[in-house]
Amino acid sequence: MKVGPLSITPATVAYTAGAVAALIVLTMVWRKNSEVRYEAWYRGTILRAMNGDNPESEMSACETLISMRPQKANAKLCLADLRYRAGQYKEAEEAFADAASTPACTAQEKAWALVGRGVAAVAAAGKADPAKAASQAEVFFQEALKEDKTC
């Protein structure tokens, strides 16, 4: 078959179809792996934050990573830790609770989140009612022990 000056043979159609299929597959693979690439990029930023003294910009990196991969508890744990280090104890407690309630988190991640939640609860209470805060934290610590027997 001829289209203008071009001669289109069955082999040309087959090669073109193969190239289009390969392009579609490569695009799908790239999109699937883009989350992993983003996680690697933001994880580096987050790890630098854990060793730095300006957690505000790193908190936004955690929030971006969480928005892309909400099923991952480790970014939520990092965000909670950064909030705790910044003195945002109530927000840290909420972030630890969010990490603990992540369905895909491991027993160890859940235990870490529960311990962090207990510590943040005590810090958030401050001197207002330390006995109540300690009692509440003990509940979280006991839950952590039940979750992960290696604690």
Side-chain angles (χ1 to χ4, degrees), residues 50-63:
M50 298 304 219
N51 296 321
D53 43 293
N54 182 13
E56 292 298 324
S57 64
E58 286 77 8
M59 281 188 222
S60 67
C62 285
E63 290 165 350

PDB file of all heavy atoms in Angstrom, residues 50-63:
ATOM      1  N   MET A  50      17.040  15.097  59.974  1.00  0.00           N
ATOM      2  CA  MET A  50      17.215  14.447  61.268  1.00  0.00           C
ATOM      3  C   MET A  50      18.552  14.851  61.905  1.00  0.00           C
ATOM      4  O   MET A  50      18.695  14.809  63.107  1.00  0.00           O
ATOM      5  CB  MET A  50      17.162  12.933  61.113  1.00  0.00           C
ATOM      6  CG  MET A  50      15.843  12.433  60.592  1.00  0.00           C
ATOM      7  SD  MET A  50      14.485  12.977  61.603  1.00  0.00           S
ATOM      8  CE  MET A  50      13.478  11.551  61.595  1.00  0.00           C
ATOM      9  N   ASN A  51      19.499  15.244  61.087  1.00  0.00           N
ATOM     10  CA  ASN A  51      20.805  15.648  61.598  1.00  0.00           C
ATOM     11  C   ASN A  51      20.982  17.157  61.611  1.00  0.00           C
ATOM     12  O   ASN A  51      22.006  17.647  62.058  1.00  0.00           O
ATOM     13  CB  ASN A  51      21.920  15.010  60.756  1.00  0.00           C
ATOM     14  CG  ASN A  51      21.897  13.515  60.863  1.00  0.00           C
ATOM     15  OD1 ASN A  51      21.660  12.965  61.930  1.00  0.00           O
ATOM     16  ND2 ASN A  51      22.123  12.839  59.752  1.00  0.00           N
ATOM     17  N   GLY A  52      20.000  17.890  61.102  1.00  0.00           N
ATOM     18  CA  GLY A  52      20.118  19.342  60.993  1.00  0.00           C
ATOM     19  C   GLY A  52      19.345  20.056  62.079  1.00  0.00           C
ATOM     20  O   GLY A  52      18.780  19.456  62.988  1.00  0.00           O
ATOM     21  N   ASP A  53      19.311  21.385  61.979  1.00  0.00           N
ATOM     22  CA  ASP A  53      18.597  22.178  62.970  1.00  0.00           C
ATOM     23  C   ASP A  53      17.532  23.075  62.336  1.00  0.00           C
ATOM     24  O   ASP A  53      17.081  24.015  62.946  1.00  0.00           O
ATOM     25  CB  ASP A  53      19.581  23.018  63.804  1.00  0.00           C
ATOM     26  CG  ASP A  53      20.665  23.658  62.972  1.00  0.00           C
ATOM     27  OD1 ASP A  53      21.476  22.910  62.449  1.00  0.00           O
ATOM     28  OD2 ASP A  53      20.688  24.896  62.838  1.00  0.00           O
ATOM     29  N   ASN A  54      17.112  22.776  61.105  1.00  0.00           N
ATOM     30  CA  ASN A  54      16.038  23.527  60.465  1.00  0.00           C
ATOM     31  C   ASN A  54      14.986  22.536  59.966  1.00  0.00           C
ATOM     32  O   ASN A  54      14.931  22.232  58.779  1.00  0.00           O
ATOM     33  CB  ASN A  54      16.574  24.370  59.307  1.00  0.00           C
ATOM     34  CG  ASN A  54      15.487  25.191  58.667  1.00  0.00           C
ATOM     35  OD1 ASN A  54      14.396  25.328  59.215  1.00  0.00           O
ATOM     36  ND2 ASN A  54      15.758  25.741  57.505  1.00  0.00           N
ATOM     37  N   PRO A  55      14.141  22.032  60.867  1.00  0.00           N
ATOM     38  CA  PRO A  55      13.204  20.986  60.468  1.00  0.00           C
ATOM     39  C   PRO A  55      12.004  21.456  59.654  1.00  0.00           C
ATOM     40  O   PRO A  55      11.316  20.634  59.060  1.00  0.00           O
ATOM     41  CB  PRO A  55      12.743  20.403  61.805  1.00  0.00           C
ATOM     42  CG  PRO A  55      12.888  21.522  62.766  1.00  0.00           C
ATOM     43  CD  PRO A  55      14.070  22.328  62.287  1.00  0.00           C
ATOM     44  N   GLU A  56      11.762  22.764  59.580  1.00  0.00           N
ATOM     45  CA  GLU A  56      10.559  23.255  58.898  1.00  0.00           C
ATOM     46  C   GLU A  56      10.502  22.847  57.422  1.00  0.00           C
ATOM     47  O   GLU A  56       9.493  22.343  56.951  1.00  0.00           O
ATOM     48  CB  GLU A  56      10.454  24.774  59.030  1.00  0.00           C
ATOM     49  CG  GLU A  56      10.174  25.251  60.442  1.00  0.00           C
ATOM     50  CD  GLU A  56       8.853  24.760  60.994  1.00  0.00           C
ATOM     51  OE1 GLU A  56       7.881  24.648  60.242  1.00  0.00           O
ATOM     52  OE2 GLU A  56       8.809  24.494  62.207  1.00  0.00           O
ATOM     53  N   SER A  57      11.583  23.066  56.681  1.00  0.00           N
ATOM     54  CA  SER A  57      11.559  22.715  55.261  1.00  0.00           C
ATOM     55  C   SER A  57      11.530  21.201  55.070  1.00  0.00           C
ATOM     56  O   SER A  57      10.940  20.705  54.116  1.00  0.00           O
ATOM     57  CB  SER A  57      12.761  23.326  54.540  1.00  0.00           C
ATOM     58  OG  SER A  57      13.957  22.781  55.037  1.00  0.00           O
ATOM     59  N   GLU A  58      12.162  20.488  55.996  1.00  0.00           N
ATOM     60  CA  GLU A  58      12.158  19.038  55.891  1.00  0.00           C
ATOM     61  C   GLU A  58      10.779  18.461  56.220  1.00  0.00           C
ATOM     62  O   GLU A  58      10.411  17.419  55.721  1.00  0.00           O
ATOM     63  CB  GLU A  58      13.234  18.445  56.800  1.00  0.00           C
ATOM     64  CG  GLU A  58      14.639  18.628  56.262  1.00  0.00           C
ATOM     65  CD  GLU A  58      15.201  20.039  56.436  1.00  0.00           C
ATOM     66  OE1 GLU A  58      14.573  20.871  57.117  1.00  0.00           O
ATOM     67  OE2 GLU A  58      16.272  20.315  55.895  1.00  0.00           O
ATOM     68  N   MET A  59      10.031  19.146  57.075  1.00  0.00           N
ATOM     69  CA  MET A  59       8.658  18.703  57.358  1.00  0.00           C
ATOM     70  C   MET A  59       7.819  18.749  56.082  1.00  0.00           C
ATOM     71  O   MET A  59       7.003  17.863  55.847  1.00  0.00           O
ATOM     72  CB  MET A  59       8.019  19.577  58.436  1.00  0.00           C
ATOM     73  CG  MET A  59       8.449  19.236  59.821  1.00  0.00           C
ATOM     74  SD  MET A  59       7.473  20.174  61.000  1.00  0.00           S
ATOM     75  CE  MET A  59       8.739  20.641  62.149  1.00  0.00           C
ATOM     76  N   SER A  60       8.051  19.770  55.267  1.00  0.00           N
ATOM     77  CA  SER A  60       7.294  19.847  54.014  1.00  0.00           C
ATOM     78  C   SER A  60       7.699  18.707  53.075  1.00  0.00           C
ATOM     79  O   SER A  60       6.865  18.187  52.329  1.00  0.00           O
ATOM     80  CB  SER A  60       7.471  21.204  53.343  1.00  0.00           C
ATOM     81  OG  SER A  60       8.798  21.366  52.915  1.00  0.00           O
ATOM     82  N   ALA A  61       8.969  18.293  53.114  1.00  0.00           N
ATOM     83  CA  ALA A  61       9.395  17.139  52.313  1.00  0.00           C
ATOM     84  C   ALA A  61       8.686  15.878  52.788  1.00  0.00           C
ATOM     85  O   ALA A  61       8.242  15.062  51.979  1.00  0.00           O
ATOM     86  CB  ALA A  61      10.912  16.957  52.387  1.00  0.00           C
ATOM     87  N   CYS A  62       8.557  15.727  54.100  1.00  0.00           N
ATOM     88  CA  CYS A  62       7.826  14.574  54.644  1.00  0.00           C
ATOM     89  C   CYS A  62       6.366  14.602  54.203  1.00  0.00           C
ATOM     90  O   CYS A  62       5.817  13.579  53.801  1.00  0.00           O
ATOM     91  CB  CYS A  62       7.885  14.568  56.170  1.00  0.00           C
ATOM     92  SG  CYS A  62       9.439  14.054  56.875  1.00  0.00           S
ATOM     93  N   GLU A  63       5.755  15.770  54.285  1.00  0.00           N
ATOM     94  CA  GLU A  63       4.347  15.880  53.907  1.00  0.00           C
ATOM     95  C   GLU A  63       4.147  15.584  52.422  1.00  0.00           C
ATOM     96  O   GLU A  63       3.159  14.948  52.043  1.00  0.00           O
ATOM     97  CB  GLU A  63       3.823  17.269  54.266  1.00  0.00           C
ATOM     98  CG  GLU A  63       3.714  17.461  55.772  1.00  0.00           C
ATOM     99  CD  GLU A  63       3.539  18.900  56.198  1.00  0.00           C
ATOM    100  OE1 GLU A  63       3.684  19.810  55.357  1.00  0.00           O
ATOM    101  OE2 GLU A  63       3.276  19.113  57.392  1.00  0.00           O
TER     102      GLU A  63
END
